[in-house]
């Protein structure tokens, strides 16, 4: 593993989101209900940013642009391009269904660390 210190833990208060850059990747850090998550900041469908994406009760992140949703713990696709009606099916053909990259995260000595393997 290749751990990178990215942020002081107090900089990511409950409900906060912050994008950090590690190598060539932009990682979205989330503090959702006092649980920390680190995910790729772009939706795998059209590479649009996820920073303002909705988080559901069942811990899925939903792309604000085309409503694809991904499990925050595993990155697995929960729903691929379901919206808007009539257009969602066409949008789903633009790219193949892919999971959202999720990164291991830990808190140590007051800092948030993530493990990002470069592509």
């Amino acid at each position: 593993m290749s751990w990178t210190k990215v942020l002081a833990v107090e900089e990511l208060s409950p409900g906060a989101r912050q994008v950090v850059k590690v190598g060539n990747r932009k990682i979205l850090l989330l503090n959702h209900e006092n649980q920390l998550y680190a995910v790729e900041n772009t939706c795998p469908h059209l590479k649009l940013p996820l920073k303002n994406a909705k988080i559901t009760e069942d811990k899925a992140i939903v792309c604000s642009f085309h409503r694809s949703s991904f499990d925050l713990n595993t990155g697995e696709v929960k729903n691929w391009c379901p919206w808007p009606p009539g257009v969602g099916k066409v949008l789903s053909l633009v790219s193949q269904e892919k999971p959202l990259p999720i990164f291991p995260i830990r808190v140590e000595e007051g800092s948030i660390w993530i493990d990002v393997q470069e592509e």
Side-chain angles (χ1 to χ4, degrees):
M1 292 200 156
S2 177
W3 291 97
T4 302
K5 182 174 161 180
V6 293
L7 199 65
V9 74
E10 67 265 2
E11 292 181 55
L12 199 66
S13 59
R17 299 170 183 215
Q18 185 155 340
V19 176
V20 296
K21 190 165 182 183
V22 177
N24 294 325
R25 299 184 103 140
K26 290 184 181 176
I27 310 300
L28 175 60
L29 298 175
L30 305 155
N31 184 339
H32 180 71
E33 298 178 350
N34 289 315
Q35 177 69 42
L36 301 179
Y37 300 93
V39 304
E40 189 84 48
N41 186 45
T42 54
C43 179
H45 178 237
L46 294 175
K47 304 296 183 198
L48 297 168
L50 290 172
K51 185 172 183 186
N52 296 316
K54 175 183 170 188
I55 307 295
T56 65
E57 287 182 18
D58 64 342
K59 305 259 186 317
I61 187 166
V62 182
C63 178
S64 303
F65 299 97
H66 55 80
R67 307 298 190 258
S68 289
S69 62
F70 308 88
D71 184 284
L72 268 178
N73 291 302
T74 66
E76 79 178 68
V77 176
K78 295 188 118 196
N79 207 346
W80 189 256
C81 301
W83 183 90
V87 177
K89 187 168 182 140
V90 173
L91 286 176
S92 69
L93 299 174
V94 172
S95 68
Q96 187 177 24
E97 186 174 304
K98 295 180 229 173
L100 177 67
I102 302 290
F103 304 98
I105 189 168
R106 72 177 193 216
V107 175
E108 186 176 294
E109 298 177 2
S111 295
I112 298 170
W113 297 72
I114 57 177
D115 179 30
V116 178
Q117 300 297 319
E118 286 300 317
E119 296 178 303

